[in-house]
Amino acid sequence: MTLAERVPALAARRPRRADAARNFDALIAAGRDAFAEEGSSASLEDIARRAGVGIGTLYRNFPTRDDLIDTLYLGEVDALAQTAHEVADLEPWAALAAWLDHFVRYVGTKHVLLESLNRPSAVMDQCRTIMFDAGEPLLRRAQSAGVVDPDITISDVVKLVSGVAAVSSFDDDAQRERVLGLAVNAIRC
């Protein structure tokens, strides 16, 4: 299944004309870098400059900052969902733990995404749905194997690990892994 099939809203936003599509893609790449470096306050003018286009091109593609963030993270969240498929063959607990570890590593570097996930938006609703649909089978499988509390929902788990991911000041990767381990082990039977 292609990205366009998995995330139709992303495909609908990308222009069809080759030069316009190149500008769109350049803006997405520049936005991803700028938001990763500077957070949600990244300058739209800087993003346009990084992409090698004028500010008018940015606004033609993304009339608001939220439009850029929404579009940027549709593809990013899809990549996170693909990880669920990659770990699905592991033992139930290992699969869930591996996906949650990837979730924290991934989302923790994209604080704009964490901020956006709590914002009301049809696109962010789709992002939440993509994440929940990816993680839920892993959770259900772990619950069926008796290794995860059967009363926990995927929403509970995503909120729990989102809290860990929101921490921007871990001393090192070892501390991040210990804190994630504490959180994830809280759902284990």
Side-chain angles (χ1 to χ4, degrees):
M1 181 179 291
T2 68
L3 178 62
E5 291 168 328
R6 291 188 309 268
V7 189
L10 181 60
R13 289 173 179 236
R14 189 170 188 270
R16 298 204 191 303
R17 212 176 71 228
D19 61 330
R22 276 191 304 275
N23 289 341
F24 181 91
D25 293 344
L27 285 163
I28 292 294
R32 184 179 300 117
D33 292 344
F35 288 129
E37 293 168 16
E38 302 169 34
S40 60
S41 64
S43 159
L44 295 180
E45 290 80 8
D46 179 52
I47 292 170
R49 190 173 26 262
R50 288 178 188 219
V53 301
I55 192 69
T57 299
L58 182 143
Y59 282 117
R60 194 168 28 263
N61 282 281
F62 310 103
T64 69
R65 175 181 299 276
D66 286 346
D67 289 330
L68 176 58
I69 291 170
D70 286 354
T71 303
L72 210 160
Y73 288 108
L74 279 168
E76 299 287 322
V77 168
D78 180 68
L80 179 62
Q82 290 304 303
T83 300
H85 297 291
E86 294 167 11
V87 301
D89 291 334
L90 298 174
E91 293 297 318
W93 175 253
L96 180 61
W99 184 74
L100 293 173
D101 180 67
H102 186 80
F103 180 94
V104 170
R105 285 178 190 267
Y106 173 78
V107 177
T109 64
K110 301 186 178 354
H111 289 283
V112 173
L113 177 58
L114 279 172
E115 295 167 17
S116 297
L117 283 173
N118 293 317
R119 175 173 50 82
S121 154
V123 172
M124 286 300 122
D125 286 346
Q126 186 176 10
C127 286
R128 278 186 290 278
T129 299
I130 290 168
M131 283 191 299
F132 287 13
D133 287 353
E136 190 162 20
L138 299 174
L139 175 64
R140 276 192 261 121
R141 197 167 140 239
Q143 288 170 323
S144 294
V147 294
V148 172
D149 182 333
D151 296 326
I152 292 180
T153 68
I154 191 63
S155 178
D156 297 338
V157 174
V158 167
K159 287 178 181 172
L160 176 70
V161 296
S162 292
V164 173
V167 175
S168 61
S169 60
F170 286 114
D171 294 341
D172 53 32
D173 284 343
Q175 184 184 41
R176 183 199 57 76
E177 289 175 21
R178 282 192 309 275
V179 172
L180 175 60
L182 289 169
V184 172
N185 282 326
I187 68 171
R188 201 168 188 178
C189 289

